[in-house]
Amino acid sequence: MKFFADTADIADIRELADTGLLDGVTTNPSLIKKSGRDIIEVTKEICSITDGPVSAEVVALDHDGMMREAEVLRRIADNVCIKVPLTIDGLKTCKKLTHDGTMVNVTLCFSANQALLAAKAGASFISPFVGRHDDNGFDGMALISDIRLIYDNYDFGTEILVASIRHPIHVLESAKIGADVATMPPAIIKGLFKHVLTDKGIEGFLKDWEATGQSIG
Ligand code: E4P
């Protein structure tokens, strides 16, 4: 499963890229606002840190406007992935962009039927928002299972990019279902490394090692 960082914070992205485990980045208008940076500048900087797909979202609601914004965004770097909302105009834009060889991430997906439409429109990625789904009394992980089943039934190449991840169990369940990508806030990615027994184990080994009086090398 690929790991994307769901952030526009450069320091966090650099730190995660240094682990060698970062496969891409997703941003959205709220994350750009949080960064306090210009969308073009910050996206360019992110694209210089990772070779993986970097999602940059259009804000126009009509097809022509989306195409105009996509033109600007895709000129930033070869690894920019244009993010469009799951609407009729969004999918029309998706179809046109992917036909031209541009990566497209269809965002704000909340049903398996929407995911089916995005795959038919040739989306590179579909982003079902599991956290927001759960928040509203739906079952986010059931949505991921349904999409996996449908995409496998028809051999769609669209990658399932699990978004709006709120905790490590979302990551675990996504991996068990066979989702292709999980995009996560940096704190959640870092949290995956942690286990209290790992820390305790290191502490115990170091204590015993000190008692041997040895050193390596
Ligand atoms: C996905 O690409 C979105 O940027 C993101 O995962 C939304 O997460 P949120 O529901 O925590 O805002």
Side-chain angles (χ1 to χ4, degrees), residues 36-120:
R37 305 266 314 266
D38 172 80
I39 183 170
I40 306 293
E41 283 171 16
V42 76
T43 306
K44 196 170 182 178
E45 196 169 348
I46 296 170
C47 289
S48 72
I49 300 170
T50 176
D51 292 335
V54 175
S55 291
E57 190 160 343
V58 297
V59 290
L61 297 178
D62 64 297
H63 171 66
D64 290 342
M66 286 183 192
M67 285 304 296
R68 272 195 301 276
E69 292 177 357
E71 273 311 315
V72 174
L73 295 173
R74 72 176 168 181
R75 272 202 302 268
I76 296 173
D78 288 345
N79 55 331
V80 166
C81 174
I82 304 298
K83 212 170 175 190
V84 299
L86 211 154
T87 59
I88 291 179
D89 286 70
L91 293 190
K92 199 171 152 186
T93 305
C94 171
K95 182 100 190 167
K96 196 154 183 0
L97 289 173
T98 52
H99 186 261
D100 292 349
T102 300
M103 282 186 289
V104 177
N105 175 358
V106 177
T107 190
L108 292 165
C109 169
F110 291 94
S111 82
N113 277 337
Q114 287 181 317
L116 175 58
L117 292 171
K120 282 174 67 64

Side-chain angles (χ1 to χ4, degrees), residues 4 48 56 58 60 68 72 86 94-95 111 122 124 139 154 158 162 168 170 181 183 192 195 203 215:
F4 288 3
S48 72
V58 297
R68 272 195 301 276
V72 174
L86 211 154
C94 171
K95 182 100 190 167
S111 82
S124 319
D139 183 345
Y154 297 96
T158 301
V162 183
H170 276 150
V181 191
T183 190
L192 297 177
H195 196 289
E203 201 185 307
S215 66

Side-chain angles (χ1 to χ4, degrees), residues 6 26-28 30-31 55 57 83 105 107 127 129 131-132 135 161-166 183 185:
D6 198 28
T26 51
T27 67
N28 63 36
S30 305
L31 292 171
S55 291
E57 190 160 343
K83 212 170 175 190
N105 175 358
T107 190
S127 288
F129 278 35
R132 294 192 196 187
D135 291 346
L161 193 171
V162 183
S164 187
I165 285 181
R166 299 276 162 74
T183 190

Side-chain angles (χ1 to χ4, degrees), residues 185-205:
I188 292 187
I189 302 184
K190 288 182 209 163
L192 297 177
F193 288 89
K194 301 291 286 176
H195 196 289
V196 64
L197 293 179
T198 304
D199 295 342
K200 216 175 148 194
I202 290 173
E203 201 185 307
F205 285 154

